[in-house]
Amino acid sequence: MSAALKSAKALYDIRSNYKQNQLLELLKKGELSINDSEVKYNKIISAIIVTQEALERANCEEKFEILMSFYMASTTSKLIDEDPDFYHEALAALSNLSFRELTVLYHLDEYQKIVSHHSEINYKPEDYIAEKTHILIDDVYALFHKLLSSGLVIQCPLMGGYVRVYTSPIFSRIQRLITYDYFK
């Protein structure tokens, strides 16, 4: 095995162990608890397993924190107990997005809030996002395409052939559970 491959594997192992240990530490400290009656239900165990897998794939600290925030809020709000399918679907959607895509999603939502309060906004959401994130406008369009396939963004054709994108109701439900301090 080459030295570069050994180094990459070692870095992966360190990051993987760090993330797993962080989740276990939360359990140990009592910040995250699973009582005996909950363990009897597969939905709790399943949620922990898929969350751990998603955390292992997080490629940056901010995404890791977003996924952890979603898990913690879902546990506290009883989402995992009441709607485990939605939890799994939402976690899969979030974990399949890059941090840059999550950033675009956040700013699209912010744009919608601004537009709902000020009808005189003269620019399109992609212009707003490019300005706020310093992502090239062509890349914003490409990221919109990926977000459309995630189900977290929907599109609506407008007159003149223009298509406007919006955050979906699924995203609105997820957003109520996540703290987005990383984008401000």
Side-chain angles (χ1 to χ4, degrees):
M1 189 181 303
S2 72
L5 192 55
K6 285 180 184 176
S7 297
K9 183 177 178 346
L11 286 174
Y12 174 79
D13 290 343
I14 289 168
R15 180 124 174 109
S16 180
N17 289 338
Y18 169 74
K19 289 178 181 180
Q20 184 175 11
N21 289 339
Q22 217 175 12
L23 189 58
L24 293 173
E25 280 300 311
L26 288 172
L27 284 165
K28 286 179 191 173
K29 290 179 184 175
E31 294 175 25
L32 179 63
S33 65
I34 305 168
N35 68 37
D36 292 337
S37 64
E38 289 175 327
V39 172
K40 293 177 185 172
Y41 299 106
N42 285 338
K43 58 187 165 187
I44 301 297
I45 295 168
S46 176
I48 291 171
I49 291 169
V50 297
T51 302
Q52 183 178 2
E53 290 170 354
L55 292 172
E56 288 173 2
R57 288 190 316 271
N59 60 350
C60 65
E61 192 63 31
E62 294 86 356
K63 185 172 175 184
F64 180 86
E65 295 298 327
I66 289 168
L67 295 172
M68 185 60 90
S69 169
F70 180 64
Y71 175 76
M72 298 296 287
S74 297
T75 302
T76 305
S77 70
K78 303 286 186 208
L79 174 68
I80 294 170
D81 287 330
E82 295 168 3
D83 196 353
D85 283 343
F86 179 78
Y87 177 78
H88 285 263
E89 293 162 2
L91 181 66
L94 290 173
S95 68
N96 287 329
L97 297 177
S98 69
F99 182 67
R100 192 164 82 143
E101 291 162 339
L102 290 168
T103 302
V104 167
L105 190 58
Y106 167 80
H107 286 290
L108 176 59
D109 185 61
E110 288 298 304
Y111 172 83
Q112 289 172 197
K113 290 175 186 170
I114 292 168
V115 169
S116 70
H117 291 97
H118 306 298
S119 60
E120 67 275 355
I121 297 294
N122 294 327
Y123 54 171
K124 300 173 188 169
E126 50 273 18
D127 295 327
Y128 174 84
I129 292 166
E131 178 185 311
K132 291 290 185 182
T133 63
H134 306 291
I135 297 173
L136 297 174
I137 193 83
D138 291 341
D139 290 344
V140 172
Y141 285 118
L143 294 169
F144 278 168
H145 181 72
K146 172 81 186 285
L147 290 167
L148 284 166
S149 67
S150 74
L152 301 178
V153 169
I154 54 177
Q155 62 184 3
C156 176
L158 301 174
M159 291 174 45
Y162 179 71
V163 176
R164 174 78 39 98
V165 293
Y166 300 93
T167 55
S168 72
I170 295 169
F171 174 72
S172 297
R173 192 169 171 198
I174 292 170
Q175 186 202 28
R176 289 190 293 267
L177 297 167
I178 296 178
T179 325
Y180 280 100
D181 300 334
Y182 321 102
F183 305 114
K184 296 179 182 179

